[in-house]
């Protein structure tokens, strides 16, 4: 167990945008290494004058949060990348974000930053001044007017890593990028001549043609994505002005942004053996006291159900989040530990790994919760699990955290209802019959286990005794389960069979989510995805990457299509159309 001295942990999809320096081959030379420009710091006042979530760009409406305060208009950072074609650059100043847009990488534009309501807003004023943009507020809509340019040529070429599309434009041009299955559409604030549009229909031999569609003062260009592992990467160049879209399998751009005080967004490739894997992670500093972690789940009123992590995070008003425990996709029941403020939303199962936090401390270990029902007559019966979709012969315990009602999980069950520590009734239930769960008690579900029934008649006094193994996890108000445990006390302790995971799961190569804890007390929320060659990490490779990240303790979380990492309004590790619905997660909250 390690002390988190500063981190208060207790009682909250875009296409990938690259800089030219990160992606340009010899055919498009990159500029010199990026050097951040500096501007005089401006105090960030907290008075909010107007907010909204609709932005109209030259009449084209998109859903992006915006905020006006103290004469400044800020757009959520992913709005600049997804809908304006702007590239975010590395930053070690949480109040300043350098960006690149039709400019030299040596002198990027630096935008002031403020974080509020779970979003990170970038001040548009420098872009308005430099490029002649105008921004006006009309109700809940921000109207952004940008100069219209002209597309002068569109060409493409095959590359070892995929295909490059180059769009020549007459001046700096706003570019919106939108991925769909098998293609990407780039919408430019530019017109196109019929000659250029017709030339697109005659691509070089062997290349799939693009589709170009004029739409008033804008133009849509639809480009193919023939490889399922490829994604589009958009960046801009100056002198001459060009919008470049690379469709490539090695689409991750190394990034290191101090997104908010105590919260750093990082991504880069890591090598394990012969495999190179893209890794996305959030690093929570133990030296900052502005971040808090809490478990989150689909619906605060019930433990059951699933939702996209992005939807879940926004419902809880979390600034960031990662998917967490396992669940049954068919009935949407949780299959592992979720403890919130000392209440079990879902109990641990099978002695699997968990992370517990609170009171300035964090611990990762394998957890067994032993619960025993005791009657006033001295009889005792083991409880199999609490608020869990994992069932076997025995007695399950369901509290109001499960929901207002309980429906049998197996074909036939006997339900014992307890109120104020006293049995008030028994009944046999089958099928979809719903049994109320009393707010001042709980129900017991007997499955192929009738032994306790005669002793649990109406009026019988009962109590529940709970024992944690290890006992050191008992004081933690928040616990989330996953498994297997990967690292403990700096050593790799991966043992999938010990935590009753199947051999196929143990050997599978797939995207992974994990949580780690470093020697200086930082927490790592990590998503690891498929290599450019196609396969994702195994559990063993996940453990090695977590060690490379500096974890002294690490826990695997649910993975595959569930692996999701959310920050400030979007998933940063994958397109949302590829992300599955999940049952629970870990949310990060800022003041």
């Amino acid at each position: 167990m390690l002390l988190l001295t500063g981190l208060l942990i207790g009682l909250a999809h875009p296409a990938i945008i690259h800089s030219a320096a990160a992606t340009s081959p010899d055919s498009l030379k990159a500029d010199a290494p990026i050097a951040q420009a500096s501007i005089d710091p401006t105090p960030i006042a907290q008075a909010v004058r107007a907010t909204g979530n609709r932005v109209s760009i030259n009449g084209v409406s998109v859903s992006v949060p915006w905020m006006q305060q103290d004469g400044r208009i800020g757009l959520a950072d992913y709005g600049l990348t997804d809908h304006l074609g702007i590239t975010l650059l590395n930053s070690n100043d949480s109040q300043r974000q350098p960006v690149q847009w039709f400019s030299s990488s040596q002198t990027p534009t630096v935008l002031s930053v403020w974080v509020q309501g779970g979003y990170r807003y970038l001040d548009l004023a420098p872009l308005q001044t430099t490029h002649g943009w105008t921004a006006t507020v009309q109700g809940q809509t921000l109207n952004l007017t940008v100069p219209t340019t002209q597309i002068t040529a569109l060409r493409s070429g095959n590359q070892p890593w995929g295909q490059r599309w180059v769009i020549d434009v007459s001046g700096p041009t706003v570019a919106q990028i939108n991925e769909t299955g098998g293609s990407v559409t780039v919408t430019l604030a530019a017109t196109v001549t019929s000659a250029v549009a017709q030339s697109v229909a005659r691509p070089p031999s062997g290349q799939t043609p693009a589709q170009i569609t004029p739409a008033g003062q804008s133009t849509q260009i639809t480009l193919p994505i023939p490889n399922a592992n490829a994604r589009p990467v958009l960046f801009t160049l100056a002198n001459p002005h060009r919008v470049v879209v690379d469709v490539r399998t090695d689409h991750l751009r190394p990034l290191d942004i101090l997104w908010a005080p105590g919260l750093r967004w990082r991504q880069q490739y890591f090598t394990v053996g012969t495999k190179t894997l893209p890794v996305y992670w959030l690093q929570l500093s133990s030296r900052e006291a502005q971040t808090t972690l809490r478990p989150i789940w689909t619906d605060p009123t019930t433990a059951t159900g699933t939702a996209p992590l992005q939807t879940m995070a926004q419902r809880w008003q979390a600034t960031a989040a990662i998917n967490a425990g396992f669940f049954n996709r068919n009935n949407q029941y949780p299959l592992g530990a979720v403890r919130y403020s000392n209440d079990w939303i879902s109990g641990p199962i099978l002695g699997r790994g968990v992370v517990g936090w609170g009171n300035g401390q964090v611990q990762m270990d394998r957890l067994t919760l032993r619960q025993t029902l005791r009657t006033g007559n001295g009889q005792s019966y083991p409880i199999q699990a609490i608020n869990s979709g994992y069932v076997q012969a025995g007695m399950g315990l369901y509290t109001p955290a499960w929901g207002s009602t309980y429906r049998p999980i197996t074909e036939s069950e006997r339900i014992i209802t307890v109120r104020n520590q006293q049995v008030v009734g028994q009944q046999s239930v089958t099928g979809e019959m719903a049994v109320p769960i009393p707010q001042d008690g709980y129900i017991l579900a007997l499955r192929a286990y009738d032994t306790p029934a005669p002793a649990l008649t109406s009026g019988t006094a009962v109590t529940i005794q709970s024992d944690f193994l290890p006992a050191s996890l008992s004081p933690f108000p928040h616990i989330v389960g996953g498994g297997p445990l990967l690292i403990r006390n700096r050593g790799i302790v991966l043992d999938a069979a010990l935590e009753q995971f199947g051999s196929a799961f143990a050997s599978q190569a797939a995207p992974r989510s994990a949580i780690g804890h470093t020697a200086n007390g930082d927490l790592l929320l990590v998503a690891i995805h498929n290599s450019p060659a196609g396969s994702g990490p195994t559990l063993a490779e996940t453990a090695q990457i977590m060690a490379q990240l500096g974890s002294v303790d690490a826990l695997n979380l649910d993975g595959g299509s569930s692996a999701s990492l959310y920050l400030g309004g979007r998933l940063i590790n994958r397109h949302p159309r590829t992300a599955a619905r999940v049952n629970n997660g870990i949310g990060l909250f800022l003041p």
Side-chain angles (χ1 to χ4, degrees):
M1 189 188 324
L2 298 178
L3 181 65
L4 293 178
T5 55
L7 186 63
L8 295 182
I9 310 179
L11 304 182
H13 59 283
I16 300 169
I17 310 299
H18 279 219
S19 69
T23 58
S24 294
D26 293 341
S27 59
L28 281 174
K29 294 293 186 181
D31 293 329
I34 294 170
Q36 297 183 14
S38 61
I39 61 177
D40 293 335
T42 302
I44 305 298
Q46 294 303 311
V48 177
R49 296 182 180 177
T51 61
N53 59 11
R54 300 299 302 177
V55 178
S56 175
I57 305 171
N58 283 8
V60 178
S61 183
V62 295
S63 178
V64 180
W66 59 269
M67 175 179 290
Q68 181 186 46
Q69 68 174 20
D70 299 326
R72 300 178 305 168
I73 293 179
L75 200 63
D77 56 1
Y78 72 90
L80 278 76
T81 58
D82 287 10
H83 301 294
L84 301 178
I86 292 173
T87 300
L88 303 182
L89 305 178
N90 292 346
S91 175
N92 281 314
D93 185 343
S94 64
Q95 294 185 353
R96 300 290 181 265
Q97 176 60 62
V99 301
Q100 189 173 15
W101 191 69
F102 294 101
S103 60
S104 167
S105 58
Q106 293 183 341
T107 56
T109 302
V110 181
L111 309 181
S112 63
V113 173
W114 68 96
V115 176
Q116 190 162 321
Y119 299 101
R120 180 176 183 253
Y121 295 96
L122 305 186
D123 184 12
L124 297 179
L127 295 168
Q128 293 177 254
T129 301
T130 302
H131 300 288
W133 297 2
T134 61
T136 59
V137 173
Q138 185 177 11
Q140 296 293 304
T141 299
L142 173 66
N143 294 307
L144 188 62
T145 303
V146 301
T148 300
T149 63
Q150 187 175 46
I151 299 171
T152 58
L154 187 150
R155 58 192 186 277
S156 65
N158 293 324
Q159 302 289 339
W161 37 258
Q163 193 165 18
R164 163 161 286 174
W165 298 84
V166 180
I167 307 167
D168 294 331
V169 289
S170 61
T173 303
V174 165
Q176 177 180 334
I177 189 165
N178 182 42
E179 287 184 67
T180 56
S183 67
V184 56
T185 298
V186 181
T187 302
L188 302 174
T191 59
V192 63
T193 65
S194 58
V196 172
Q198 291 172 6
S199 70
V200 175
R202 299 187 297 271
S205 177
Q207 294 184 11
T208 303
Q211 295 181 356
I212 188 164
T213 306
Q217 295 301 300
S218 64
T219 301
Q220 292 185 344
I221 302 176
T222 301
L223 309 174
I225 303 181
N227 188 322
N229 291 322
R231 289 196 65 190
V233 176
L234 184 148
F235 59 91
T236 62
L237 297 173
N239 302 319
H241 297 104
R242 288 162 287 174
V243 177
V244 182
V245 181
D246 290 341
V247 178
R248 56 196 305 159
T249 55
D250 58 339
H251 46 70
L252 178 144
R253 175 174 67 92
L255 197 61
D256 185 348
I257 293 177
L258 186 60
W259 199 85
L263 173 58
R264 187 175 290 276
W265 166 17
R266 300 189 65 184
Q267 57 188 47
Q268 69 182 67
Y269 284 101
F270 281 79
T271 299
V272 179
T274 60
K275 190 181 294 185
T276 299
L277 295 161
V279 181
Y280 308 78
W281 75 101
L282 301 177
Q283 186 161 348
L284 287 59
S285 173
S286 63
R287 295 166 295 283
E288 296 285 345
Q290 298 188 38
T291 55
T292 61
L293 285 183
R294 306 171 199 160
I296 60 175
W297 56 99
T298 305
D299 184 342
T301 66
T302 176
T304 66
T306 60
L309 181 71
Q310 182 169 330
T311 301
M312 190 185 304
Q314 291 172 343
R315 178 169 192 172
W316 288 81
Q317 298 184 327
T319 298
I322 191 170
N323 69 292
F326 300 98
F327 57 96
N328 185 310
R329 292 194 183 278
N330 294 325
N331 57 28
Q332 303 182 359
Y333 293 161
L335 297 173
V338 180
R339 192 187 200 199
Y340 181 91
S341 295
N342 294 307
D343 289 333
W344 286 112
I345 309 305
S346 174
I349 62 172
L350 303 171
R352 290 180 172 174
V354 303
V355 54
W357 69 91
N359 307 317
Q361 297 178 320
V362 62
Q363 181 180 345
M364 299 183 196
D365 210 333
R366 300 182 180 98
L367 172 63
T368 298
L369 177 65
R370 292 182 177 172
Q371 292 187 297
T372 303
L373 182 77
R374 300 187 183 280
T375 71
N377 297 326
Q379 297 165 299
S380 61
Y381 305 96
I383 296 173
Q384 177 221 346
I386 177 174
N387 292 337
S388 180
Y390 175 73
V391 298
Q392 59 187 31
M395 179 164 56
L397 168 64
Y398 295 87
T399 72
W402 181 258
S404 60
T405 61
Y406 169 83
R407 287 178 170 82
I409 300 176
T410 61
E411 184 175 345
S412 177
E413 300 178 2
R414 177 167 292 275
I415 303 300
I416 314 294
T417 300
V418 178
R419 299 184 60 184
N420 295 317
Q421 300 188 65
Q422 188 175 81
V423 176
V424 297
Q426 286 192 25
Q427 59 182 311
S428 294
V429 296
T430 58
E432 291 296 312
M433 181 177 178
V435 178
I437 301 177
Q439 289 297 311
D440 55 356
Y442 51 86
I443 66 164
L444 301 165
L446 306 185
R447 307 179 180 110
Y449 179 55
D450 293 330
T451 303
L456 299 178
T457 56
S458 294
T460 303
V462 292
T463 57
I464 295 175
Q465 177 182 328
S466 298
D467 297 305
F468 284 69
L469 296 176
S472 56
L473 282 166
S474 177
F476 289 104
H478 302 309
I479 295 175
V480 168
L485 190 67
L486 301 173
I487 300 173
R488 185 172 56 193
N489 298 330
R490 294 180 170 82
I492 293 179
V493 295
L494 172 62
D495 191 336
L498 179 64
E499 298 183 32
Q500 300 190 47
F501 288 100
S503 58
F505 174 85
S507 60
Q508 182 183 20
R512 306 279 180 185
S513 291
I515 183 169
H517 188 214
T518 69
N520 65 4
D522 289 356
L523 281 177
L524 309 173
L525 307 181
V526 182
I528 311 169
H529 281 266
N530 292 333
S531 69
S535 62
T538 63
L539 286 173
E541 290 166 343
T542 301
Q544 293 176 58
I545 287 175
M546 295 303 291
Q548 290 185 47
L549 287 171
S551 302
V552 296
D553 300 292
L555 173 71
N556 182 65
L557 302 170
D558 191 11
S561 59
S562 294
S564 304
L565 189 58
Y566 169 89
L567 177 65
R570 80 301 211 185
L571 297 184
I572 61 174
N573 67 312
R574 67 192 312 160
H575 194 281
R577 65 181 172 79
T578 70
R581 301 166 68 92
V582 299
N583 175 266
N584 60 81
I586 299 172
L588 180 147
F589 300 79
L590 295 177

